[in-house]
Amino acid sequence: MKVMEKISCGLFILTARTGGRDNGCVVNTVMQVTAAPNRIAVAVNKQNCTHDMMLETKEFNVSVLDEASQFSTFKNFGFQSGRDADKFAAISFARSANGLAYLTQECNGYISARIVETVDVGTHTLFIAEVTDGAVLSGRPSATYSFYHEHIKPAAAPAQKKGFICVICGYIYEGDVLPPDFICPICKHPASDFRPL
């Protein structure tokens, strides 16, 4: 699993809207898969509220996070559920032609897309989508997953208790043994993404 961290990937805020309600989540799997037609693929955890909204509406936006991104943005979109919180309450955003939100700060561009196919890949759904709109918002470099770990995510606090820490979001599971089927309640990653304190 360690070598998987060497795969270059970016960080994005994925947004959707249903019933007059906006929601979004952090994803790290967005890629262009064809240029003609212009299509992208996005992998989304099935436990995310945004996932269900995308299935319902067949549309989404991707905000491409840049290196000016703050940890508070990751906490807002990644460490709480849109089922319980309004993630857009304190965020600067605009709406694209499809009516969906995209970030206007900490973001160097956005892409709007319409879903044309879904693939069940276990814990996630892979959405294949046609690009319908998009714009470059700044010239700042995109934030990579590596950049996030080195420059945005705060260093883990020294361990005081016995337990395990999620290397993705920093959630701490207290106890001597981490159950092998444990799922992080914050970022939904499996026990394999936890390290002993």
Side-chain angles (χ1 to χ4, degrees), residues 87-99:
K87 296 183 181 184
F88 286 88
I91 298 292
S92 296
F93 69 94
R95 295 199 185 276
S96 57
N98 63 5

Side-chain angles (χ1 to χ4, degrees), residues 16-92:
R17 181 177 174 85
T18 58
R21 186 169 154 262
D22 294 298
N23 195 44
C25 65
V26 177
V27 296
N28 66 352
T29 310
V30 175
M31 68 191 86
Q32 183 178 21
V33 291
T34 60
N38 191 6
R39 290 188 174 168
I40 60 175
V42 179
V44 187
N45 190 305
K46 292 177 183 175
Q47 295 182 12
N48 286 344
C49 181
T50 307
H51 173 276
D52 297 342
M53 295 170 92
M54 291 169 58
L55 282 176
E56 181 181 335
T57 65
K58 307 296 187 219
E59 288 188 305
F60 62 89
N61 279 356
V62 174
S63 297
V64 183
L65 292 173
D66 63 38
E67 290 184 353
S69 297
Q70 301 298 304
F71 187 63
S72 59
T73 300
F74 290 92
K75 286 174 59 177
N76 182 57
F77 284 101
F79 295 3
Q80 62 181 343
S81 173
R83 291 178 181 89
D84 307 319
D86 177 2
K87 296 183 181 184
F88 286 88
I91 298 292
S92 296

Side-chain angles (χ1 to χ4, degrees), residues 125-195:
T125 298
L126 184 66
F127 294 93
I128 310 298
E130 178 182 0
V131 174
T132 59
D133 192 14
V136 172
L137 303 176
S138 83
R140 290 187 303 266
S142 298
T144 64
Y145 206 48
S146 176
F147 184 88
Y148 167 78
H149 281 285
E150 293 172 14
H151 302 284
I152 299 173
K153 180 182 174 186
Q160 301 283 333
K161 302 176 181 178
K162 288 189 176 186
F164 300 82
I165 187 167
C166 176
V167 298
I168 305 302
C169 72
Y171 174 81
I172 295 176
Y173 174 89
E174 292 183 17
D176 293 328
V177 178
L178 181 70
D181 61 347
F182 186 77
I183 300 294
C184 180
I186 303 298
C187 70
K188 312 299 187 243
H189 280 254
S192 60
D193 285 326
F194 281 74
R195 301 292 176 260

Side-chain angles (χ1 to χ4, degrees), residues 2-14:
K2 199 71 177 161
V3 73
M4 301 307 286
E5 296 174 12
K6 299 297 183 186
I7 296 174
S8 177
C9 58
L11 289 162
F12 313 89
I13 302 297
L14 187 65

